[in-house]
Amino acid sequence: MHSRTNPFLATISERYCLSHPGTKKNTQHIVLDLKGSGLTYQVGDSLGVFPLNDPQLVEQTLTAMKASGDELITDKAGLEYTWRDFLVSKANLTEVSRKFLLEMMQRQIPGEKKRFLEELHVPENKEKLKEYLSIHQVWDFLTENDEVVFSPQELYELLMPLLPRLYSIASSQKVVGEEVHLTVALLGFESNGYQRKGVCTHYLCNLAPMHAASIPVYVQPHHGFTLPENPDAPMIMIGPGTGVAPYRAFLQERAIEQMAGKNWLFFGEWNRKTDFFYEDFWKTMQQRIALRLSLAFSRDQEKKIYVQQRMLEEGKEFFQWVSEGAYIFVCGDMHRMAKDVEVALLQIFAQHGQMSEQAAKDYLKKLRQEKRYRRDVY
């Protein structure tokens, strides 16, 4: 039985860009072949993926620690690895642990660098410490403190493990069979003056070979973020960007099972011309199951428009759907989008339900208790 502790080696059978030329984004549709795995999944589940580190990142780390990579280390289970193999498949190279930082401070020779590391550990510098850790990877932290040399076995004790990443499944198994589909946005950003790449998004979109059984995966069951038990219940789905992935699965299943419930999708991205992910699929769903589509392309006009503005614009009908028993789903970024959507929900309830601020909060709480307000945020 395949699981997180015994993942299945899946094969990428399809990989193509959902973004069109002209955008700065790179969002890809990835199809993984699960034949022979025995893995099953429900709509709303996630796929756990164990990535490998970018070979370039591994080489930068080896150079920074003055190692060849051929050194042998022994892990806590007594298994022996070459240091390079361990860095590729087991080590978190993009984050510096506090334990590592403390050890570096203690080993650093007296001087300016040591004083700086000591200052980071002063209780009132908690935010400064957090910021420092957020912009450093293992290799540039080592490079900045090149007076200190760690053996591979010593560094093994200080590195955090390379953990699996979870991706919302963008397919219904009733439709695609022994496949699983993912919607993956390639992550790229700058920190500490260097260009960085998302470990797993870079692995899935660029590094993992096609048509080779090499990607360790497992199914992570949902915690309530799935279709309503009643097939006739209306659904309002809110998911900008890659947050739209599970709704592709929801609607595939609703269509093939001929469920009668109404469906309304709020989707947002940068530009309609370049970033309208799965446009043909949504149009097909409009014809097959009368999908209602509300779109917010933030950069198609001077003033940015987001999904929460579309919700407010259509607030009267939105509240009508909820009053008729609609389930509200929110998927995507927890830090901004999900909070903004919740503020919009409270405004809609207050305005169109003629509620006080407290009554709107109580109404939302009731929806949550009834499991009609379901979120998958990250």
Side-chain angles (χ1 to χ4, degrees):
M1 183 73 179
H2 292 290
S3 63
R4 176 172 171 158
T5 53
N6 179 33
F8 174 71
L9 293 179
T11 304
I12 297 181
S13 58
E14 281 186 72
R15 179 168 57 195
Y16 57 85
C17 209
L18 291 167
S19 315
H20 298 295
T23 183
K24 290 180 181 177
K25 295 201 169 192
N26 184 341
T27 301
Q28 299 192 15
H29 183 76
I30 295 173
V31 178
L32 292 157
D33 191 336
L34 300 178
K35 281 190 187 72
S37 69
L39 286 174
T40 59
Y41 60 88
Q42 306 297 318
V43 295
D45 289 351
S46 298
L47 191 75
V49 179
F50 286 92
L52 298 180
N53 281 311
D54 186 341
Q56 183 183 350
L57 187 61
V58 171
E59 291 307 315
Q60 286 173 312
T61 307
L62 288 171
T63 300
M65 65 178 295
K66 305 175 179 70
S68 71
D70 298 326
E71 301 87 351
L72 296 177
I73 63 121
T74 305
D75 72 6
K76 289 180 173 66
L79 299 173
E80 198 171 66
Y81 294 85
T82 68
W83 185 228
R84 178 179 275 100
D85 286 348
F86 184 82
L87 294 183
V88 167
S89 62
K90 302 291 181 184
N92 181 341
L93 300 182
T94 59
E95 293 180 89
V96 176
S97 69
R98 295 187 181 219
K99 182 181 175 183
F100 186 11
L101 193 76
L102 185 62
E103 186 67 22
M104 184 69 84
M105 180 193 80
Q106 290 167 347
R107 291 192 185 202
Q108 182 58 270
I109 59 174
E112 192 177 326
K113 290 183 182 180
K114 188 177 182 73
R115 281 194 299 275
F116 176 76
L117 294 173
E118 286 171 341
E119 282 175 19
L120 288 178
H121 283 85
V122 175
E124 51 265 34
N125 286 338
K126 194 160 47 174
E127 285 304 310
K128 192 175 177 183
L129 171 61
K130 189 177 171 185
E131 185 196 357
Y132 182 84
L133 291 173
S134 74
I135 65 170
H136 280 80
Q137 296 187 343
V138 170
W139 75 270
D140 52 333
F141 178 58
L142 285 166
T143 302
E144 285 180 15
N145 294 277
D146 59 358
E147 301 81 3
V148 183
V149 177
F150 293 90
S151 72
Q153 192 66 48
E154 287 173 329
L155 197 53
Y156 159 75
E157 299 290 343
L158 299 169
L159 295 180
M160 294 184 284
L162 182 58
L163 297 174
R165 272 53 168 183
L166 294 174
Y167 293 92
S168 298
I169 292 175
S171 54
S172 163
Q173 199 161 26
K174 291 176 182 174
V175 175
V176 303
E178 291 185 296
E179 292 179 351
V180 62
H181 296 200
L182 303 179
T183 309
V184 180
L186 184 62
L187 180 63
F189 59 98
E190 186 179 299
S191 71
N192 197 28
Y194 300 103
Q195 281 300 124
R196 317 289 197 181
K197 294 168 184 168
V199 175
C200 200
T201 63
H202 179 45
Y203 172 65
L204 284 172
C205 294
N206 296 327
L207 299 177
M210 296 284 291
H211 312 298
S214 60
I215 299 146
V217 302
Y218 65 95
V219 172
Q220 178 68 44
H222 65 77
H223 297 288
F225 191 85
T226 191
L227 290 172
E229 293 73 16
N230 177 5
D232 297 335
M235 291 197 312
I236 300 173
M237 298 159 283
I238 303 156
T242 56
V244 82
Y247 307 138
R248 182 176 183 268
F250 284 13
L251 296 181
Q252 279 185 347
E253 188 139 324
R254 276 205 145 180
I256 199 169
E257 293 289 336
Q258 298 183 334
M259 296 179 186
K262 295 191 297 181
N263 304 283
W264 189 353
L265 174 66
F266 286 84
F267 171 70
E269 249 300 347
W270 278 8
N271 301 99
R272 182 177 187 128
K273 186 179 176 183
T274 55
D275 308 301
F276 192 179
F277 309 150
Y278 304 117
E279 179 178 5
D280 291 342
F281 174 75
W282 308 127
K283 287 180 176 176
T284 300
M285 289 298 105
Q286 284 179 309
Q287 292 166 356
R288 283 186 65 185
I289 58 173
L291 170 68
R292 178 168 177 163
L293 203 51
S294 294
L295 304 170
F297 292 101
S298 61
R299 304 192 179 195
D300 273 352
Q301 58 287 310
E302 195 174 332
K303 188 181 178 185
K304 290 180 181 176
I305 295 173
Y306 299 105
V307 288
Q308 60 269 24
Q309 272 118 328
R310 292 289 183 237
M311 290 164 58
L312 292 169
E313 288 169 5
E314 303 183 72
K316 185 178 179 183
E317 284 180 276
F318 191 109
F319 184 72
Q320 183 65 38
W321 276 51
V322 177
S323 302
E324 292 169 357
Y327 285 62
I328 303 169
F329 294 87
V330 181
C331 183
D333 170 46
M334 81 161 68
H335 300 290
R336 292 187 61 185
M337 182 278 295
K339 289 178 182 176
D340 292 341
V341 163
E342 192 150 301
V343 168
L345 287 174
L346 293 172
Q347 286 182 323
I348 289 167
F349 298 159
Q351 182 182 350
H352 299 285
Q354 297 179 325
M355 301 177 193
S356 66
E357 186 180 333
Q358 187 55 51
K361 287 179 180 176
D362 291 342
Y363 188 69
L364 187 63
K365 184 179 177 182
K366 182 169 174 280
L367 291 175
R368 191 180 269 116
Q369 288 169 343
E370 292 173 352
K371 298 183 177 169
R372 285 176 51 209
Y373 178 38
R374 302 184 179 187
R375 306 199 316 163
D376 181 16
V377 296
Y378 38 83

